[in-house]
Amino acid sequence: MKRTAAILLVVLGAVLGTTGPAAADGAHVGGDLHVAQSLGDRDLTVIIRRVAQVPGPVHVDVVTHAGSPAGEVTLTARAAGAPTSSAKVVLGATPGFYAGVVHVDRAGPWELSVDEASIPFVIPARVSSPWENATYGGFIAAGVLLFLALLAAVLGRPGLALVPTTGVVVAMAVAATAALLSPVIPPVAPPGAHLDPTFDNVMNPYERTPVMDFSRPPVNLVPRVDGHDLVLDLTDGSSGRPVDDLLLHDNAFVHLVVVSPTGGLRHLHPVRTAPGEYRVRLKDPERGTHAVAAEIARRGGGVQLLRSSVDVTGNAAVGAHDDVAELVTEVREAGRPTTITAKFGERDLQPWLGMLGHMIVVGPVTDGPVSAPIWAHVHSMIPPRPGVPDQPDESVAAYGPDVPFTYSFPLPGRYLVWIQVERDYQVRTVPAVVDVPAPAGGETK
Amino acid sequence: MRRTALGALTGVIALVAVLLVLWPRGVEAQPQTAESTRYRFVLTPSSTKSGSTTLDLMITDLAGNAARGDVTVEPAMPRMGHALAPITAAPVEPGHYRVGDVGLFMAGQWEITVSLSAERVVIPLLLT
Ligand SMILES: [Cu+2]
């Protein structure tokens, strides 16, 4: 009797053992977050590494760039406004990576503050999908029922064994159906992409909502100067309430481009200092009206470009720390794709904002950038590597040397163009002027 | 004995049916057609997987005669806001053009703009 039970246990163990690791791809648990932050006099990239487990550590890399003063920043993790853990990171004078570790105790919406900047982020929960549960549950139930059936048979009650045997068939059918259908069920959106993240919906991402269209209204941008800082107030275009649902896109919450009256470009990433309020230092500004454009993405989908202008009372001379590169251009008429390739000589470019290069286009300029009808941000992409979810960070200096762009200038005329890449932890800006001819037939498109 | 054989047969039939339904099928690249005022463009990609692709183009006028002239292909990925540099398609024979080694590096929705003289069409191409 004892031996029979032992054999049955071995059989059961074998059945359960084979079902365990099958198709264990698990719910996706996010990747590294790269957040560009123009914080005071420093241009930082804050990398929040993928969180392996909760409770547990969050590894944060603060990447400094050329010209960032040495010093100290404080990292604080907050859940629902309450600080849980903080760490000091001492930044050296050489640009590069400076690591800090904060601790979190649960999955859900979090905020990482770096001094006065606060970065909302979501720690996804490792939740298995309903079909995974059905698969594993079905196999486990089949194993248990098989054991019962064998037990009944061994005890000489074959009639009684019929009931668990039927159960085995049913459980196996459920498990097999779930396993076979799971690859064709679309994955859920990452928490926080469509709906405001809460501790509940992060823990239960599979809960169905009746909502199909997640898009939100457009945003109003009001820039103002406060001391040495430019402050952006973002309000909802329908309700007037502060907009505090910006998503990371291209490694920043706000991509702010400021063009001075003489055509000098700044590409900055304001830090969130309050709901709907973003702040950035304007170092040594010129006097006059600056053209301002902010690229943002609201929760629910879609990137929008907000244009404005602001009067600055600076007294700096024209900022002349521009870089040079050989430009190979093939300019086509308005409405047709023009290609511009910047040649940087050596294959040592670093990804900046997840891209090989950026090209800002403002024009046609007749009386200054403020009134230019076209404002564009063109990318030169780093091709994705299949199977590698995390993008390369700035420590990989192996891209280039040629940085190609393709852009169809919509109108004929003179455009101001700036090409930006990163090398030696410094953003290099190459300005150029492009004259776009009118289409031959006189008719655009 | 016969019952066992019948049972086995049923099992085999069920298994074959399941395999028939669930066997992974290769997605055959289908030709896509678009017409402009003067021409009919038929685009056939060598595959619907992302990566390096060859695009095959049959271009005729609306009466079915082979078209002549320089053909340009402009691939773009609207979701990424990304356009590739335009490529000139090489003629294989009258009305038949081909562009090899087009780096459609990402899965997702692409738009292939094909132009011949002043005629332009945009052909959507979904890559997996
Ligand atoms: Cu940016």
Side-chain angles (χ1 to χ4, degrees):
Chain A
M1 193 60 228
K2 244 184 180 168
R3 238 178 82 192
T4 326
I7 292 168
L8 286 176
L9 274 178
V10 169
V11 170
L12 179 59
V15 169
L16 289 181
T18 51
T19 59
D25 51 3
H28 99 124
V29 284
D32 297 350
L33 298 177
H34 297 238
V35 192
Q37 296 274 274
S38 307
L39 177 60
D41 290 328
R42 295 192 181 97
D43 258 316
L44 305 176
T45 307
V46 179
I47 307 178
I48 303 172
R49 299 289 179 188
R50 178 203 308 260
V51 177
Q53 60 176 43
V54 282
V58 181
H59 296 272
V60 178
D61 281 315
V62 180
V63 186
T64 62
H65 294 90
S68 286
E72 195 179 69
V73 292
T74 307
L75 308 177
T76 309
R78 283 192 173 82
T84 59
S85 149
S86 76
K88 288 202 187 308
V89 178
V90 178
L91 306 177
T94 42
F97 283 64
Y98 297 91
V101 178
V102 288
H103 292 267
V104 294
D105 55 6
R106 62 196 130 146
W110 283 81
E111 219 172 272
L112 178 76
S113 49
V114 183
D115 288 352
E116 73 263 30
S118 74
I119 302 169
F121 70 107
V122 175
I123 299 180
R126 210 179 277 269
V127 183
S128 50
S129 59
W131 43 98
E132 279 174 312
N133 291 341
T135 309
Y136 296 142
F139 279 127
I140 290 170
V144 172
L145 290 166
L146 186 64
F147 178 76
L148 292 178
L150 288 173
L151 196 66
V154 166
L155 293 176
R157 306 285 295 276
L160 202 62
L162 208 59
V163 179
T165 307
T166 315
V168 170
V169 173
V170 171
M172 291 295 280
V174 168
T177 309
L180 288 169
L181 288 181
S182 62
V184 295
I185 300 173
V188 291
H194 288 162
L195 300 169
D196 295 343
T198 63
F199 286 103
D200 289 340
N201 69 20
V202 170
M203 294 310 294
N204 185 10
Y206 293 96
E207 196 183 342
R208 289 177 64 94
T209 50
V211 189
M212 292 299 284
D213 182 1
F214 297 95
S215 69
R216 296 185 180 193
V219 174
N220 277 302
L221 162 72
V222 180
R224 61 187 158 92
V225 175
D226 177 20
H228 296 293
D229 289 350
L230 180 61
V231 181
L232 311 177
D233 288 310
L234 302 182
T235 48
D236 185 286
S238 292
S239 70
R241 300 173 64 246
V243 168
D244 199 28
D245 57 1
L246 299 195
L247 300 178
L248 265 189
H249 90 280
D250 294 342
N251 295 0
F253 291 106
V254 181
H255 294 270
L256 180 74
V257 173
V258 181
V259 178
S260 74
T262 61
L265 174 111
R266 295 167 204 253
H267 179 167
L268 305 162
H269 302 102
V271 299
R272 174 179 173 271
T273 43
E277 187 190 276
Y278 289 79
R279 179 177 286 264
V280 69
R281 179 75 42 89
L282 273 190
K283 256 182 278 181
D284 309 326
E286 289 171 33
R287 173 184 296 274
T289 306
H290 288 58
V292 169
E295 241 175 86
I296 60 158
R298 282 193 90 172
R299 182 166 292 133
V303 180
Q304 31 186 308
L305 178 71
L306 312 171
R307 289 187 60 183
S308 187
S309 64
V310 67
D311 289 322
V312 180
T313 54
N315 51 11
V318 179
H321 32 67
D322 287 331
D323 299 271
V324 285
E326 187 197 334
L327 295 184
V328 177
T329 59
E330 193 176 337
V331 180
R332 289 191 180 78
E333 68 218 55
R336 294 285 183 272
T338 286
T339 55
I340 299 177
T341 303
K343 295 175 179 280
F344 284 89
E346 255 166 84
R347 195 181 178 80
D348 61 351
L349 301 181
Q350 294 160 299
W352 186 46
L353 309 168
M355 300 287 170
L356 172 59
H358 300 256
M359 182 170 83
I360 307 290
V361 175
V362 177
V365 278
T366 42
D367 41 70
V370 174
S371 60
I374 301 295
W375 194 293
H377 182 169
V378 191
H379 289 139
S380 193
M381 290 176 72
I382 293 173
R385 300 163 297 170
V388 184
D390 287 332
Q391 51 173 295
D393 63 31
E394 291 162 68
S395 62
V396 185
Y399 296 100
D402 294 353
V403 184
F405 299 93
T406 302
Y407 180 69
S408 301
F409 290 89
L411 300 171
R414 170 160 291 193
Y415 289 81
L416 303 179
V417 164
W418 298 265
I419 289 168
Q420 297 194 294
V421 296
E422 183 175 327
R423 169 180 274 167
D424 297 332
Y425 290 100
Q426 189 177 4
V427 174
R428 313 294 173 115
T429 303
V430 179
V433 173
V434 177
D435 286 305
V436 177
E443 162 215 20
T444 37
K445 291 260 160 70
Chain B
M1 204 55 224
R2 260 188 72 190
R3 266 173 68 183
T4 323
L6 208 64
L9 191 67
T10 316
V12 167
I13 289 172
L15 193 70
V16 168
V18 165
L19 283 178
L20 270 180
V21 171
L22 295 168
W23 197 259
R25 288 176 189 81
V27 184
E28 187 96 342
Q30 296 297 324
Q32 305 273 343
T33 306
E35 275 180 21
S36 65
T37 35
R38 286 176 55 201
Y39 298 116
R40 177 179 296 127
F41 300 77
V42 181
L43 174 97
T44 313
S46 60
S47 105
T48 54
K49 291 251 177 284
S50 62
S52 182
T53 305
T54 299
L55 302 176
D56 221 61
L57 280 161
M58 301 296 294
I59 308 177
T60 56
D61 63 19
L62 296 185
N65 306 309
R68 276 162 211 287
D70 286 340
V71 171
T72 312
V73 173
E74 302 160 20
M77 199 178 190
R79 203 194 82 76
M80 303 303 293
H82 190 75
L84 300 187
I87 312 160
T88 305
V92 183
E93 54 189 22
H96 185 188
Y97 296 81
R98 185 172 291 161
V99 247
D101 199 23
V102 185
L104 306 179
F105 52 85
M106 225 181 203
Q109 180 72 66
W110 285 80
E111 286 176 3
I112 314 291
T113 302
V114 184
S115 56
L116 169 57
S117 53
E119 311 273 306
R120 275 159 87 82
V121 292
V122 179
I123 301 175
L125 181 62
L126 184 66
L127 299 186
T128 51

